Amino acid sequence: MMFRQKTKHVNDFGKDRVPALVLRVSVPFMFAQFVNVLYSIVDRIYVGNIPETGAISLAGVGVCAPIITLLSSFATLVGIGGSILFSMRLGQKDHKDAERILGNCFSLLLILSAVLTVGFLLIKDILLGWFGASETSFPYADTYLTIYTCGTFFALLSTGMNYFITAQGHPMLGMVTTLIGAVVNIILDPVFIFLFHMDVAGAAIATVLAQLSSCIFVLCVLRGKNMLIPLRLKKPERSLTGRIFALGFSPFLILATDSIIIIAMNAVLQYHGGPGYGDTLITCATIVQSYMQLITSPMLGITGGSQPLISYNLGAGNQARIRKIVLCVLLLCIGFTTTMFLISRFLPSAFVGIFTDDPEYIQLSIWGIRVFTLMIIPLSFQYTFVDSLTALGLTKLSLSLSLFRKGLYFAATCLLPFAFGAASAFFAEPVADGVSFVTSTVSYLIIYQKFLKNPGDLVRITLKKAGTE
């Protein structure tokens, strides 16, 4: 993938040394995902420090988290699905079809954002009731979600189209996209929340304006002269839409089921915790989940950032580079999760203290962080292998592995509290991570033996499924 005719700073996905290439592409994407997490975390930090109503406001924002995750997953459906197919075409030097894919994805995101905005605004009250909003936290959750949903258009376009910037060999520009949004959000949050005394509404408005900033930047970059494949609006094609959705369905469902797990967690904590303590547990779970996002989102950036590399070399028929890429990504993930595991053991109080100064919340949240992170190092294998299988076009297997982990997580969340009390729901995360490490590793090794040691087999199968033959 060489774009020297249009820009000097490029990454050649087919020839550059693999370790250095993985670092240049995945680390900016990792940092971009980390910065992206700041959208929600910064909101929660400021909301948690609102005088008098901070704790209950934080519970309300926490109830909105699964709905926001669900909305974001649609950007992944189109962005990852389209960028994988897009990268395969670039690997085959088929620039005309790559442009067609890019334009179709843009059109699909426009349509989805309109449908989702109207749909979620109509059913938001019902959703908040399902997702664990109590009579006390409902007004705060309703205010935040209403404003956030109105900005769905900007959120989907900025996230979904950003994948195509990285896929064209410009990971640093992809990182700048999220950096712009985070900086705007961090600056505007205290202005709207405290200076204008808008509280939860101010946090939501700041987030929407931040997403607007990122959206404008993404569209300007994709329309710019440095892009090999420029952005042009295309009429959605049914057959192409089906292939995009097929490739993007696995990561979409992974994120969408995250919403179901958060819903289950909030509902279980509210039910078993009872009046008063249920909101306390949800507030602490919101803090713990914010910390986990600092681990899982950057790790998703590492594995997701490597997907264009894998897909490009799949299109080019280069199995040896695919194997090296997967190994480098795995080692990078292990290094990152090991660092975060150690921080979780020794420094969780520094993170929790940003949200609250209440001793009860601090003590419970520190305990929750240490429980949630017990198996984050083995989780590296799950993330690396599942995303690699998705990039190889083996979406049924990657989806099965993801759903197995999420199903186990959901079951443990619902069942553990009946035997051990409400707080035991926090142990569902390490249980699911530990078991999934074994299943995903074994499955990938089987695929390695069957396909990646036999040049051409996997390429022919995957490209046939993707409609490239």
Side-chain angles (χ1 to χ4, degrees):
M1 183 187 292
M2 299 184 69
F3 310 139
R4 302 189 192 282
Q5 70 273 26
K6 295 206 173 190
T7 178
K8 295 180 181 179
H9 302 287
V10 296
N11 292 288
D12 190 329
F13 287 3
K15 295 181 180 179
D16 288 353
R17 290 184 66 251
V18 169
L21 182 64
V22 169
L23 288 174
R24 289 200 304 271
V25 174
S26 291
V27 171
F29 211 78
M30 166 189 170
F31 184 73
Q33 289 294 328
F34 172 79
V35 171
N36 197 39
V37 172
L38 292 180
Y39 281 136
S40 58
I41 291 182
V42 168
D43 280 348
R44 293 171 186 179
I45 290 171
Y46 283 119
V47 167
N49 285 279
I50 294 174
E52 298 182 2
T53 61
I56 192 63
S57 296
L58 187 57
V61 172
V63 169
C64 296
I67 304 175
I68 293 171
T69 301
L70 184 59
L71 283 169
S72 301
S73 64
F74 284 93
T76 302
L77 173 67
V78 176
I80 291 184
S83 64
I84 288 175
L85 199 57
F86 179 84
S87 296
M88 289 181 185
R89 293 298 191 273
L90 290 182
Q92 296 172 309
K93 310 301 180 184
D94 188 349
H95 294 174
K96 182 178 179 180
D97 208 38
E99 181 180 332
R100 184 169 66 97
I101 294 166
L102 178 61
N104 269 259
C105 288
F106 183 47
S107 301
L108 288 173
L109 287 170
L110 290 174
I111 296 169
L112 278 174
S113 61
V115 172
L116 291 171
T117 298
V118 174
F120 273 69
L121 286 175
L122 290 175
I123 63 173
K124 62 182 176 63
D125 290 359
I126 298 173
L127 291 176
L128 290 173
W130 287 350
F131 294 2
S134 66
E135 185 176 339
T136 307
S137 63
F138 179 86
Y140 303 96
D142 182 55
T143 298
Y144 188 89
L145 184 60
T146 300
I147 297 171
Y148 185 94
T149 304
C150 290
T152 299
F153 175 84
F154 310 123
L156 261 63
L157 282 181
S158 61
T159 302
M161 297 308 295
N162 199 34
Y163 288 102
F164 294 93
I165 295 177
T166 300
Q168 295 193 59
H170 300 278
M172 293 302 294
L173 288 175
M175 182 183 70
V176 171
T177 298
T178 52
L179 187 60
I180 288 173
V183 170
V184 171
N185 195 37
I186 290 170
I187 293 173
L188 293 184
D189 258 331
V191 174
F192 285 109
I193 294 173
F194 301 113
L195 184 61
F196 294 161
H197 304 288
M198 299 181 70
D199 297 342
V200 171
I205 291 172
T207 299
V208 170
L209 292 176
Q211 291 167 340
L212 169 61
S213 303
S214 294
C215 180
I216 292 172
F217 179 80
V218 167
L219 296 182
C220 288
V221 169
L222 287 173
R223 292 284 296 173
K225 295 180 180 179
N226 283 339
M227 291 294 108
L228 176 65
I229 309 297
L231 175 62
R232 294 186 177 91
L233 186 65
K234 303 283 186 180
K235 182 180 179 180
E237 303 172 32
R238 181 176 298 180
S239 60
L240 181 56
T241 298
R243 294 202 297 274
I244 291 169
F245 283 176
L247 287 170
F249 187 70
S250 177
F252 162 76
L253 201 57
I254 292 170
L255 285 176
T257 50
D258 280 344
S259 299
I260 297 175
I261 291 172
I262 297 173
I263 294 166
M265 175 70 80
N266 289 343
V268 165
L269 294 178
Q270 192 66 253
Y271 176 80
H272 290 279
Y277 191 55
D279 282 335
T280 297
L281 287 171
I282 290 176
T283 299
C284 293
T286 301
I287 296 173
V288 173
Q289 287 159 354
S290 297
Y291 184 84
M292 282 298 294
Q293 283 184 303
L294 291 176
I295 300 172
T296 57
S297 291
M299 189 157 56
L300 186 62
I302 296 172
T303 58
S306 70
Q307 286 181 319
L309 306 182
I310 295 172
S311 298
Y312 180 94
N313 284 283
L314 176 67
N318 196 331
Q319 277 76 27
R321 285 181 67 83
I322 292 174
R323 290 195 294 270
K324 290 179 182 178
I325 290 167
V326 173
L327 177 60
C328 288
V329 170
L330 177 60
L331 293 175
L332 191 57
C333 284
I334 291 174
F336 172 70
T337 53
T338 300
T339 301
M340 295 304 296
F341 178 82
L342 295 174
I343 292 174
S344 304
R345 304 275 74 79
F346 300 109
L347 297 173
S349 57
F351 179 81
V352 175
I354 299 173
F355 290 85
T356 180
D357 57 4
D358 187 300
E360 181 183 10
Y361 290 122
I362 291 175
Q363 183 178 2
L364 184 56
S365 298
I366 290 174
W367 171 82
I369 286 174
R370 287 173 175 163
V371 169
F372 258 63
T373 56
L374 284 172
M375 297 297 291
I376 59 169
I377 297 175
L379 186 61
S380 302
F381 291 78
Q382 167 82 6
Y383 271 62
T384 299
F385 294 150
V386 167
D387 280 3
S388 296
L389 291 169
T390 300
L392 291 169
L394 299 174
T395 52
K396 289 184 178 179
L397 178 57
S398 64
L399 180 59
S400 298
L401 292 172
S402 297
L403 289 181
F404 174 77
R405 174 176 174 266
K406 297 300 176 67
L408 183 59
Y409 195 159
F410 179 83
T413 298
C414 295
L415 296 177
L416 285 175
F418 282 102
F420 305 105
S424 65
F426 285 67
F427 282 95
E429 172 82 34
V431 168
D433 294 347
V435 175
S436 298
F437 153 67
V438 177
T439 56
S440 60
T441 301
V442 170
S443 298
Y444 187 82
L445 290 176
I446 291 173
I447 291 297
Y448 177 85
Q449 293 293 333
K450 186 175 181 180
F451 291 116
L452 294 182
K453 283 193 173 182
N454 297 296
D457 288 356
L458 182 58
V459 176
R460 287 192 295 272
I461 292 172
T462 304
L463 295 184
K464 184 177 180 179
K465 289 181 179 179
T468 61
E469 291 187 343

